[in-house]
Amino acid sequence: MRTQVAIVGAGPAGLTLAHLLDRAGIDSVVVEAKSREHVEHRVRAGVLEHGTVDLLTESGVGERLRREGLVHHGIELRFGGRGHRIDLHALTGRAITIYGQQELVKDLIAARVATGRPIHFDAREVTLEGIDGDRPRVRFQDHRGAQAIDCDFVAGCDGFHGVCRGAIPEGALTVHERSYPFAWLGILARAAPSRGELAYASHERGFALFSMRSPELTRLYLQVAPDESLAAWSDDRIWSELAARFAGEDGWRPNEGPIVERMIAGMRSFVAEPMRHGRLFLAGDAAHIVPPTGAKGLNLAVADVRVLSLCLARWYAGDAAALDEYSPRCLARVWRAEHFSWWMTAMLHRFPDDDSFQRKLQLAQREYVAASRAAAASLAENYVGLPFDDAGG
């Protein structure tokens, strides 16, 4: 096979890039290690920034998103037995939309199939060659046997555990990383959401988050120990703990229902820079991870590939220096999101080694955000997503 851009990974980053490149008249081939059924049904992120929604809509894949997505104009911080609403729209003029990653992936795959351009699922033993030269190659195995894609560029959109970042020579990347001393136990419950906006709870027993994926599905998270076992959490224990952490003077609690999915995910911050090596460009989780507290992971992936598609279009139009802008432009946004995600995590979680002084500082920060319009506006501006800036990503 011969193409202009070989894209490794059919998650939101890879599929959005393929879609944007197609609209720019740039040929691509997508290679994905998992099956189509798997990527269309794995439940991950669900909060889309204002700019992400606009980009998807303007590029022609936002019809179902606009129809079925749940637009939220605020979020709530719950602590000290009371709720404090942050009015995102009043503070920024923007909003967020709840739309499950798996639904976005379905839309993007359908758009890809409609173009007739190739997407290879169930690709095994993916390897990269020649990324330091001008004719890289991606090799893989599928049901037809050994396959090879000759290309001008490779886009590594295959996630934190993918093969692309590992193909970069040792010493070429600088890695910045922080692990957090807790994890999130997440559940998906077949229960109608009991409120219309997300609620972030900070409690002496730990953090909790109320979210949703549809009018019929509630998504909930509990802070747990990093080595916690799912077997230790019965349905009754999960619902009891959620009720305790969300408890307040208003008497609100999440609706209960059958738990259809549960998982435990560790928490880390991670950035590998630069996000380019030769003809290989890293995007999304292949280059950076943020704690989910700030709802930035999927949105950063979309922002990355937006910049990459623009830089590639300029390069093919004759601007030889365009691709040099990719990594610095993306990293400016990445580090802003890393800081916001760290800040939200530090303000709302109970750290095991915190003393009374640290807990008082956390409380003072929460109270300031709840009471100060300026502080609330800073949170809101970052939460809804900074506007795209063609000069800076």
Side-chain angles (χ1 to χ4, degrees):
M1 286 176 277
R2 178 77 178 91
T3 191
Q4 291 173 294
V5 183
I7 301 171
V8 183
L15 292 169
T16 302
L17 177 61
H19 180 68
L20 295 175
L21 292 178
D22 180 70
R23 288 176 58 85
I26 299 171
D27 188 47
S28 66
V29 175
V30 181
V31 176
E32 167 58 47
K34 302 294 186 181
S35 68
R36 177 173 178 174
E37 180 181 10
H38 178 86
V39 299
E40 286 188 338
H41 291 89
R42 57 186 170 193
V43 178
R44 292 290 186 271
V47 177
L48 302 186
E49 295 177 354
H50 193 103
T52 299
V53 173
D54 284 350
L55 173 66
L56 294 168
T57 301
E58 291 163 6
S59 67
V61 288
E63 180 182 354
R64 192 163 71 95
L65 162 60
R66 289 288 190 183
R67 186 174 67 250
E68 299 179 10
L70 307 175
V71 178
H72 290 193
H73 293 99
I75 61 172
E76 185 178 73
L77 305 182
R78 293 178 71 85
F79 60 91
R82 293 180 292 120
H84 310 268
R85 185 172 185 266
I86 307 296
D87 192 328
L88 302 175
H89 191 265
L91 293 165
T92 68
R94 295 155 73 85
I96 58 168
T97 299
I98 305 300
Y99 191 67
Q101 173 178 308
Q102 73 279 12
E103 302 306 321
L104 175 58
V105 165
K106 291 174 186 175
D107 297 341
L108 289 165
I109 289 177
R112 177 69 176 184
V113 171
T115 68
R117 296 188 188 273
I119 178 169
H120 300 274
F121 294 101
D122 295 304
R124 307 179 308 278
E125 300 175 32
V126 179
T127 58
L128 277 55
E129 299 174 0
I131 57 174
D132 290 304
D134 59 4
R135 284 292 181 268
R137 172 176 290 176
V138 176
R139 294 186 182 273
F140 64 97
Q141 297 274 344
D142 66 8
H143 67 279
R144 299 166 298 169
Q147 307 293 330
I149 306 170
D150 293 312
C151 54
D152 298 327
F153 303 100
V154 178
C157 305
D158 54 345
F160 182 79
H161 298 290
V163 302
C164 288
R165 191 176 69 252
I168 296 175
E170 186 175 353
L173 294 178
T174 299
V175 171
H176 311 273
E177 187 170 17
R178 173 167 294 179
S179 295
Y180 295 86
F182 39 74
W184 276 14
L185 188 164
I187 66 167
L188 192 66
R190 198 167 300 284
S194 55
R195 62 188 300 126
E197 295 177 342
L198 277 68
Y200 288 76
S202 183
H203 191 273
E204 63 180 12
R205 300 170 68 93
F207 169 82
L209 171 61
F210 167 88
S211 183
M212 67 284 293
R213 288 297 177 266
S214 75
E216 297 79 32
L217 292 173
T218 299
R219 187 73 158 162
L220 297 146
Y221 297 93
L222 285 167
Q223 175 187 346
V224 297
D227 57 352
E228 194 70 70
S229 169
L230 272 178
W233 288 85
S234 65
D235 289 12
D236 287 344
R237 184 185 178 192
I238 289 172
W239 291 117
S240 174
E241 192 65 25
L242 285 165
R245 297 189 192 185
F246 284 118
E249 297 171 356
D250 57 4
W252 174 79
R253 61 186 293 166
N255 287 337
E256 298 184 16
I259 296 176
V260 297
E261 179 186 289
R262 68 188 75 205
M263 46 77 76
I264 290 180
M267 302 272 283
R268 65 155 60 92
S269 299
F270 175 92
V271 180
E273 53 183 21
M275 291 169 57
R276 174 193 181 184
H277 179 80
R279 291 292 182 102
L280 169 63
F281 297 85
L282 301 178
D285 287 359
H288 42 74
I289 297 288
V290 289
T293 326
K296 289 286 162 274
L298 184 155
N299 296 289
L300 276 181
V302 171
D304 287 348
V305 298
R306 174 187 174 274
V307 174
L308 182 54
S309 68
L310 294 172
C311 291
L312 285 167
R314 287 170 50 200
W315 188 89
Y316 280 111
D319 184 352
L323 295 173
D324 295 336
E325 299 178 15
Y326 172 68
S327 184
R329 284 178 60 179
C330 289
L331 284 169
R333 192 180 193 91
V334 166
W335 279 112
R336 176 65 251 147
E338 289 285 355
H339 178 268
F340 176 67
S341 300
W342 164 84
W343 178 80
M344 286 280 285
T345 302
M347 179 175 65
L348 296 170
H349 287 72
R350 181 74 179 266
F351 285 72
D353 58 350
D354 280 355
D355 56 15
S356 61
F357 184 83
Q358 183 61 33
R359 290 196 291 276
K360 288 289 187 179
L361 291 180
Q362 284 182 305
L363 177 59
Q365 180 68 71
R366 293 192 294 269
E367 290 178 337
Y368 178 55
V369 170
S372 165
R373 181 180 176 86
S378 177
L379 187 158
E381 180 182 44
N382 283 274
Y383 198 88
V384 301
L386 301 177
F388 293 129
D389 178 2
D390 285 340

